[in-house]
Amino acid sequence: MPAVSKGDGMRGLAVFISDIRNCKSKEAEIKRINKELANIRSKFKGDKALDGYSKKKYVCKLLFIFLLGHDIDFGHMEAVNLLSSNRYTEKQIGYLFISVLVNSNSELIRLINNAIKNDLASRNPTFMGLALHCIANVGSREMAEAFAGEIPKILVAGDTMDSVKQSAALCLLRLYRTSPDFVPMGDWTSRVVHLLNDQHLGVVTAATSLITTLAQKNPEEFKTSVSLAVSRLSRIVTSASTDLQDYTYYFVPAPWLSVKLLRLLQCYPPPGNGIKNHISCQHGSMQCRESSNCTHKFIEFFCKFSADTKNFLFNWGITSSEGKDGYLISSVEENEVVQQFVLFPPEDAAVRGRLTECLETILNKAQEPPKSKKVQHSNAKNAVLFEAISLIIHHDSEPNLLVRACNQLGQFLQHRETNLRYLALESMCTLASSEFSHEAVKTHIETVINALKTERDVSVRQRAVDLLYAMCDRSNAQQIVAEMLNYLETADYSIREEIVLKVAILAEKYAVDYTWYVDTILNLIRIAGDYVSEEVWYRVIQIVINRDDVQGYAAKTVFEALQAPACHENLVKVGGYILGEFGNLIAGDPRSSPLIQFNLLHSKFHLCSVPTRALLLSTYIKFVNLFPEIKTTIQDVLRSDSQLKNADVELQQRAVEYLRLSTIASTDILATVLEEMPPFPERESSILAKLKKKKGPGTVTDLEEIKKERNSDVNGGTESTPINASTVSTPSPSADLLGLGAAPLTSSAPPASSTGSLLVDVFSDSASVVAPLAPGSEDNFARFVCKNNGVLFENQLLQIGLKSEFRQNLGRMFIFYGNKTSTQFLNFTPTLICSDELQSSLNLQTKPVDPTVDGGAQVQQVVNIECISDFMEAPILNIQFRYGGTFQNISVKLPITLNKFFQPTEMASQDFFQRWKQLSNPQQEMQNIFKAKHPMDTEITKAKIIGFGSALLEEVDPNPANFVGAGIIHTKTTQIGCLLRLEPNLQAQMYRLTLRTSKETVSQRLCELLSEQF
């Protein structure tokens, strides 16, 4: 930097600042500033031209006034004029003023850009640095458009000074973050990677930051940076603190650069997980082209799996087909076909080994005694250590490193520094998900529990809860749940709801004995009832209803819990529902006779909110069916003025209707109307979705997709809730799913014309030919494979919505036709069209629809469905009507598919693979390998498999990344077992889907349907 001359002291500026500081009041300060602004304005407008020094001084005063919080509306042109000065200090003040005060929409931006271009072209390193700093500080799209193509050239030019390279790299990073579309990838990308080998570590540090950001969006462009980053990291890690004196921070060599290099490596999989070098194949034997005696481990690995070559190749992201000399392999990355196999280059193995040595060295240094007692030394050392552990976790491929990292983090759990304890707990949460380090994490359970009890910082306690949740499995579930419940009594209010959700999930997921599960949830309600959401108590009711072995115990337990003087309202809800369904199981005990059960519940009635009172009234009418001996007592309660004349309409309506039902209905009718709830569909708990929503997934789009999928039942419909909590008097489309036993319904299709008639009614609205499928019909049909509710078709006239339910081989679909116009639809005729083959497999019964649909109105059509045998096609819904004198004819595919009649089946790992082997005939298996059409998100994939209808089996497949499902297709004539396995390949963005069923056509159809979802 040029030396500052004696005249650059700007005495006038110093006097002005002193005057401002000496002001006794705000008014005095404003008066002095206004005086100075008037003076500066007169100087700028004066006839006498100002020299560079005066302009610089006055621009500095304006800048100082702006920093005090006052608006500046002049002086911009004078600042721009300073940019053309050859004096460093004047140019510096000009750029500073522009960076702070000039708006990106200013009319002066073109002049500023010209001045910047002149400085960049001057090759004066000082002026180039000032120009680059200004571009980075402003960072507008206009600047990006003007200079994004020029800065990379400066960065990779051989004659550019190191300080300018640093500024250019950071300036380009700033522009890429604000306007990535203006930063083109080109020849410079391969050259900028080699800056990692630059001798100047400042340049390497800046380049690493740039490459890391670019590699996150364009990994293929910068994949060569991996080997260079490992090489540079190795030199830093193995160097002594004296070797890098200028970049050693408290005895830690280049800590910032080390952290950045480790973060760059986290953008890529471990070295060696790519397929590059070609090798030839003859009858399963491998010979490397580079060396005839190559003994790379990959060859041995391939020979072990040579019997299933195609599957092996898929696992490495390669599509293939058999050729006369082996396999034709199509490279996914290069999209070209070569008649060769491929192998990792030897240098990848060397890079991987070198990286492993670096990571081991970092872990070893963490065990060494500190070289300084100052906190800066430990901070720098631990920063590198935690980033190295993050890389180890990201790779998740070296068991030894993972276990060592876990042990190192375990030492930090009792460190006196709070931040270290927090980071250790956070990193161990991620380690707990790795199959290699899960057991090592579990060894620290006592330390984590102790941190939960004694830690002062609430954020650290929350991370301890997260770690306990992550390390939980069947071996320690009861201990962890018990500790969480104990902590819940004194936990901070801000994290209680999250703990409640986690306890509920763990209790359900790892419950071997469901009596323990019931006890846990009731204890949860007792301790933190205010934080127990509806999802939690809904779920315990669903589980109790679905499992006969726990119903009696649940009834007895809630009865005893309700005897406490003070009960939380959620406990009353659970008790009311369970006793209403299963109170008869404990009625034989005199201590829990029907009258005692009723009196116990009714004693809580006046303390509860309206929804809970409504539920209790539903329980009372259930008691009328279960215990006829207390019918009179219940009727007296329902007949009381407090019920029949209740101010709440809901309670009043229930009391009136229940009283009338109990009075006029016969015993048989009561038994039918008030029969025991059928089992709920088995599916993934909605509590998990609530927890994920609270923790926050990565993107808004993912959150919405997960929310939609998680709120769906086995076949994607709305999640069931206890019927006691709903309004009985309000008819619901889902109230009678099995209404197929009623008399056959009249079809809405027009009667078939006589085969002997050759006359055509030219005045009829019915078209002789069904319209082709509407545009987008196939896409909408595919979206309904894993869900049941939504909009099937929509144009400017008509909207068609669906709501459907399926159980075993029966289903019911509600079709809603909405008139989006203000004009009536006349002769409105929806018709279901099935081929002859489909008619023999699918029985559809429809109710007629009003032929006139008023403007803005909606009509509903009910379709009852019975699956007689498996089928491949889908029915066509044809809608014909007149709108404003014009005949309309619309056809869409109705999403009634074979998977709708799925019933999920839970299976243990041993049972699954035993059944898998039984279905080993080629005709029983259907496999499809395909590219992913959507982002490969694990949670969305799980939700789609559950929505498809099968049970998602956890901890069955040896590879935790795979998805395994099982279920039974129910038809009237037979039941068809189905097993599925979905194997994702994230690196190649591909899937392999394998389906095995006892019937070939079923395997084929289910494979087609499910493949389209990913």
Side-chain angles (χ1 to χ4, degrees):
M1 182 182 297
V4 179
S5 63
K6 185 176 180 181
D8 286 337
M10 291 189 290
R11 183 172 177 277
L13 175 64
V15 171
F16 174 64
I17 294 175
S18 177
D19 290 346
I20 293 296
R21 290 178 175 174
N22 293 329
C23 289
K24 302 297 183 182
S25 64
K26 186 68 174 176
E27 291 76 12
E29 177 183 313
I30 294 175
K31 183 178 179 180
R32 179 67 181 89
I33 288 174
N34 289 337
K35 178 182 178 181
E36 191 63 38
L37 288 174
N39 178 56
I40 297 173
R41 197 185 301 269
S42 66
K43 294 292 184 181
F44 285 166
K45 290 183 178 181
D47 296 333
K48 185 179 179 180
L50 296 176
D51 59 7
Y53 171 80
S54 299
K55 286 182 182 178
K56 177 186 70 172
K57 179 177 65 174
Y58 293 134
V59 167
C60 271
K61 288 183 178 181
L62 291 176
L63 188 58
F64 179 72
I65 292 171
F66 175 80
L67 295 178
L68 290 176
H70 300 271
D71 293 333
I72 300 298
D73 56 2
F74 69 98
H76 301 76
M77 193 62 202
E78 283 71 18
V80 173
N81 291 336
L82 286 175
L83 300 184
S84 59
S85 172
N86 289 324
R87 294 174 64 87
Y88 169 79
T89 55
E90 294 173 7
K91 190 181 291 285
Q92 179 192 36
I93 295 302
Y95 275 123
L96 182 59
F97 186 93
I98 289 168
S99 300
V100 176
L101 275 93
V102 174
N103 190 289
S104 59
N105 299 323
S106 172
E107 297 176 353
L108 301 174
I109 203 70
R110 183 172 297 179
L111 292 174
I112 296 171
N113 286 349
N114 288 335
I116 292 175
K117 285 181 181 178
N118 292 334
D119 284 338
L120 292 179
S122 69
R123 312 309 294 175
N124 182 318
T126 305
F127 293 170
M128 292 175 72
L130 288 174
L132 290 168
H133 293 168
C134 180
I135 296 172
N137 287 331
V138 176
S140 64
R141 290 184 62 84
E142 292 77 9
M143 290 247 181
E145 186 176 8
F147 302 110
E150 184 70 22
I151 296 174
K153 298 176 184 178
I154 297 173
L155 178 61
V156 298
D159 59 345
T160 304
M161 292 187 64
D162 292 336
S163 60
V164 178
K165 285 185 179 179
Q166 286 180 262
S167 299
L170 296 177
C171 181
L172 189 60
L173 174 60
R174 162 71 168 165
L175 295 183
Y176 185 79
R177 286 174 174 171
T178 56
S179 307
D181 48 321
F182 286 127
V183 180
M185 297 293 109
D187 296 337
W188 64 272
T189 55
S190 59
R191 298 177 65 185
V192 78
V193 169
H194 290 284
L195 291 178
L196 295 176
N197 271 338
D198 198 278
Q199 294 182 351
H200 193 280
L201 289 191
V203 174
V204 179
T205 304
T208 305
S209 298
L210 174 63
I211 294 170
T212 301
T213 302
L214 294 174
Q216 290 171 353
K217 295 288 183 67
N218 306 280
E220 284 300 308
E221 293 279 350
F222 299 93
K223 57 190 176 185
T224 55
S225 64
V226 173
S227 59
L228 296 177
V230 172
S231 175
R232 173 63 75 175
L233 181 65
S234 176
R235 278 179 276 169
I236 295 173
V237 169
T238 57
S239 67
S241 58
T242 55
D243 295 340
L244 302 170
Q245 289 185 0
D246 292 341
Y247 290 89
T248 296
Y249 181 77
Y250 287 88
F251 303 100
V252 180
W256 284 276
L257 178 55
S258 299
V259 168
K260 289 178 183 292
L261 290 170
L262 290 166
R263 286 184 181 171
L264 171 59
L265 292 172
Q266 291 176 51
C267 297
Y268 293 92
N273 276 15
I275 303 178
K276 302 298 173 190
N277 201 24
H278 298 163
I279 60 175
S280 56
C281 168
Q282 291 292 337
H283 306 295
S285 64
M286 294 289 177
Q287 289 188 341
C288 179
R289 281 186 173 185
E290 315 297 341
S291 171
S292 59
N293 58 356
C294 175
T295 57
H296 197 283
K297 292 183 179 179
F298 179 82
I299 296 178
E300 301 172 1
F301 184 68
F302 185 88
C303 291
K304 291 178 183 178
F305 291 88
S306 58
D308 195 3
T309 308
K310 186 174 182 180
N311 289 344
F312 172 81
L313 293 173
F314 163 77
N315 289 331
W316 296 102
I318 301 174
T319 55
S320 58
S321 58
E322 288 191 58
K324 63 179 182 179
D325 295 324
Y327 280 83
L328 291 175
I329 299 174
S330 176
S331 169
V332 175
E333 296 178 354
E334 300 175 6
N335 200 22
E336 61 183 8
V337 178
V338 292
Q339 193 173 346
Q340 297 162 331
F341 285 105
V342 287
L343 178 65
F344 305 140
E347 58 266 22
D348 275 3
V351 171
R352 185 165 188 164
R354 196 169 185 180
L355 177 57
T356 302
E357 290 177 5
C358 290
L359 296 173
E360 287 178 343
T361 303
I362 293 173
L363 293 175
N364 291 336
K365 286 186 175 181
Q367 300 291 334
E368 297 176 358
K371 296 180 180 179
S372 172
K373 294 183 178 180
K374 294 193 174 182
V375 68
Q376 291 90 339
H377 170 73
S378 60
N379 286 345
K381 185 177 177 181
N382 291 329
V384 177
L385 172 63
F386 276 101
E387 207 60 51
I389 291 174
S390 296
L391 179 60
I392 293 170
I393 295 171
H394 170 74
H395 285 174
D396 193 20
S397 59
E398 295 288 344
N400 181 46
L401 287 178
L402 286 163
V403 173
R404 286 195 61 187
C406 180
N407 294 335
Q408 181 62 51
L409 292 173
Q411 297 177 16
F412 287 142
L413 293 179
Q414 294 178 313
H415 199 278
R416 59 185 178 85
E417 178 62 41
T418 304
N419 289 335
L420 283 180
R421 297 196 300 273
Y422 179 94
L423 292 171
L425 290 167
E426 188 176 48
S427 298
M428 290 185 78
C429 285
T430 313
L431 275 174
S433 63
S434 170
E435 60 178 324
F436 302 118
S437 55
H438 182 76
E439 292 300 321
V441 173
K442 285 167 57 180
T443 60
H444 300 284
I445 185 171
E446 295 299 333
T447 306
V448 179
I449 291 173
N450 185 60
L452 192 65
K453 295 176 179 178
T454 60
E455 183 61 53
R456 294 181 179 180
D457 192 308
V458 61
S459 61
V460 179
R461 293 199 298 272
Q462 187 167 2
R463 293 288 80 78
V465 171
D466 292 341
L467 180 54
L468 287 175
Y469 177 78
M471 70 168 61
C472 187
D473 57 23
R474 293 195 183 279
S475 65
N476 57 19
Q478 294 195 12
Q479 179 188 4
I480 288 177
V481 168
E483 292 295 343
M484 284 188 172
L485 285 174
N486 290 337
Y487 172 63
L488 190 56
E489 297 188 19
T490 57
D492 298 82
Y493 295 109
S494 59
I495 62 174
R496 283 195 178 189
E497 183 180 2
E498 186 178 326
I499 296 175
V500 167
L501 291 174
K502 288 181 174 178
V503 169
I505 292 169
L506 294 178
E508 178 185 345
K509 186 176 182 180
Y510 298 112
V512 178
D513 179 5
Y514 275 92
T515 59
W516 172 74
Y517 171 75
V518 172
D519 290 337
T520 300
I521 299 300
L522 293 181
N523 201 15
L524 194 63
I525 295 173
R526 179 186 62 81
I527 295 172
D530 290 337
Y531 299 90
V532 175
S533 62
E534 288 186 340
E535 287 84 358
V536 175
W537 73 267
Y538 281 177
R539 190 63 182 163
V540 69
I541 287 172
Q542 291 170 9
I543 289 174
V544 170
I545 287 176
N546 287 12
R547 288 171 173 79
D548 297 339
D549 56 330
V550 80
Q551 290 167 357
Y553 179 82
K556 177 184 176 184
T557 305
V558 296
F559 175 78
E560 293 173 350
L562 286 171
Q563 292 177 349
C567 294
H568 194 274
E569 191 167 331
N570 281 334
L571 182 59
V572 177
K573 292 178 183 177
V574 175
Y577 196 99
I578 291 179
L579 291 179
E581 294 292 332
F582 310 113
N584 59 309
L585 300 179
I586 61 172
D589 190 334
R591 294 171 297 179
S592 55
S593 65
L595 185 59
I596 293 177
Q597 290 185 43
F598 171 74
N599 290 334
L600 179 60
L601 285 175
H602 196 55
S603 66
K604 316 291 183 183
F605 187 89
H606 66 286
L607 301 172
C608 298
S609 63
V610 170
T612 306
R613 292 185 187 185
L615 186 146
L616 289 177
L617 289 178
S618 298
T619 301
Y620 297 166
I621 194 64
K622 287 270 190 175
F623 276 177
V624 170
N625 179 48
L626 290 177
F627 312 123
E629 61 270 26
I630 63 170
K631 178 178 179 179
T632 305
T633 305
I634 294 173
Q635 286 179 333
D636 291 341
V637 171
L638 296 175
R639 197 179 289 116
S640 64
D641 288 346
S642 62
Q643 304 302 335
L644 296 181
K645 297 181 181 180
N646 197 294
D648 187 272
V649 176
E650 170 72 17
L651 295 180
Q652 184 186 102
Q653 186 175 359
R654 286 196 183 216
V656 171
E657 293 181 357
Y658 290 163
L659 178 61
R660 190 65 176 160
L661 179 65
S662 67
T663 304
I664 66 173
S666 65
T667 305
D668 292 341
I669 293 176
L670 277 176
T672 302
V673 174
L674 304 172
E675 65 180 349
E676 186 178 304
M677 279 291 294
F680 290 92
E682 289 291 348
R683 61 187 182 278
E684 186 174 353
S685 171
S686 61
I687 309 174
L688 189 59
K690 184 175 178 67
L691 178 62
K692 289 174 181 174
K693 182 178 178 181
K694 183 176 178 62
K695 298 295 283 184
T699 64
V700 176
T701 305
D702 294 341
L703 173 60
E704 291 302 316
E705 183 68 18
I706 292 170
K707 185 178 178 182
K708 290 177 184 176
E709 298 289 347
R710 284 286 189 267
N711 287 339
S712 61
D713 65 11
V714 173
N715 284 311
T718 304
E719 179 179 348
S720 302
T721 56
I723 197 69
N724 281 25
S726 66
T727 306
V728 173
S729 61
T730 304
S732 170
S734 60
D736 179 18
L737 178 61
L738 301 178
L740 295 171
L745 301 167
T746 305
S747 173
S748 64
S753 60
S754 170
T755 55
S757 174
L758 299 178
L759 298 176
V760 177
D761 183 4
V762 296
F763 299 101
S764 172
D765 285 336
S766 298
S768 58
V769 179
V770 176
L773 291 179
S777 177
E778 292 287 352
D779 292 339
N780 287 341
F781 176 86
R783 281 196 286 268
F784 275 80
V785 170
C786 292
K787 70 174 185 176
N788 281 353
N789 303 336
V791 176
L792 178 64
F793 170 82
E794 187 171 14
N795 63 10
Q796 67 273 21
L797 304 179
L798 177 69
Q799 183 185 70
I800 304 175
L802 293 184
K803 180 178 181 181
S804 48
E805 294 178 328
F806 295 87
R807 185 177 299 162
Q808 296 186 353
N809 70 312
L810 305 177
R812 173 171 287 183
M813 180 176 287
F814 296 84
I815 308 176
F816 302 92
Y817 305 98
N819 184 347
K820 297 175 62 179
T821 72
S822 58
T823 306
Q824 280 187 334
F825 290 166
L826 301 176
N827 299 334
F828 189 86
T829 309
T831 308
L832 287 181
I833 302 170
C834 300
S835 65
D836 293 338
E837 182 180 356
L838 185 59
Q839 285 182 359
S840 63
S841 303
L842 204 61
N843 182 18
L844 303 178
Q845 298 174 348
T846 60
K847 288 184 178 181
V849 175
D850 191 335
T852 301
V853 183
D854 293 331
Q858 184 184 79
V859 296
Q860 172 184 304
Q861 183 179 33
V862 181
V863 181
N864 287 328
I865 308 161
E866 183 179 23
C867 181
I868 300 171
S869 61
D870 63 279
F871 56 96
M872 301 288 287
E873 305 173 14
I876 303 297
L877 175 62
N878 178 249
I879 304 103
Q880 300 177 7
F881 61 95
R882 283 195 173 274
Y883 167 74
T886 305
F887 181 74
Q888 303 289 332
N889 191 352
I890 300 169
S891 293
V892 295
K893 289 179 73 172
L894 200 61
I896 301 175
T897 51
L898 187 59
N899 67 292
K900 301 295 183 182
F901 305 97
F902 238 133
Q903 290 296 306
T905 303
E906 296 289 343
M907 302 179 75
S909 178
Q910 183 178 357
D911 298 334
F912 178 87
F913 285 106
Q914 182 179 356
R915 179 61 177 159
W916 184 268
K917 292 178 182 178
Q918 292 172 355
L919 299 171
S920 58
N921 293 336
Q923 297 83 4
Q924 295 174 327
E925 179 181 292
M926 182 60 62
Q927 187 174 100
N928 188 17
I929 298 175
F930 54 96
K931 290 284 289 181
K933 301 176 183 177
H934 309 288
M936 299 179 73
D937 184 275
T938 300
E939 297 305 322
I940 293 177
T941 302
K942 287 183 179 180
K944 285 185 177 180
I945 293 175
I946 294 170
F948 190 69
S950 69
L952 185 63
L953 306 182
E954 301 282 353
E955 301 178 355
V956 169
D957 197 293
N959 185 350
N962 295 342
F963 305 91
V964 176
I968 298 174
I969 298 290
H970 286 263
T971 70
K972 186 177 181 180
T973 57
T974 186
Q975 295 184 1
I976 304 164
C978 173
L979 304 177
L980 68 87
R981 190 181 190 189
L982 182 67
E983 300 167 80
N985 186 329
L986 293 176
Q987 184 178 359
Q989 290 292 296
M990 297 180 70
Y991 287 99
R992 178 172 61 200
L993 173 64
T994 308
L995 268 149
R996 291 188 180 183
T997 74
S998 53
K999 196 168 183 180
E1000 182 179 3
T1001 55
V1002 174
S1003 299
Q1004 180 181 348
R1005 181 56 175 161
L1006 293 180
C1007 188
E1008 290 173 358
L1009 291 170
L1010 191 54
S1011 296
E1012 291 299 315
Q1013 302 304 306
F1014 304 100

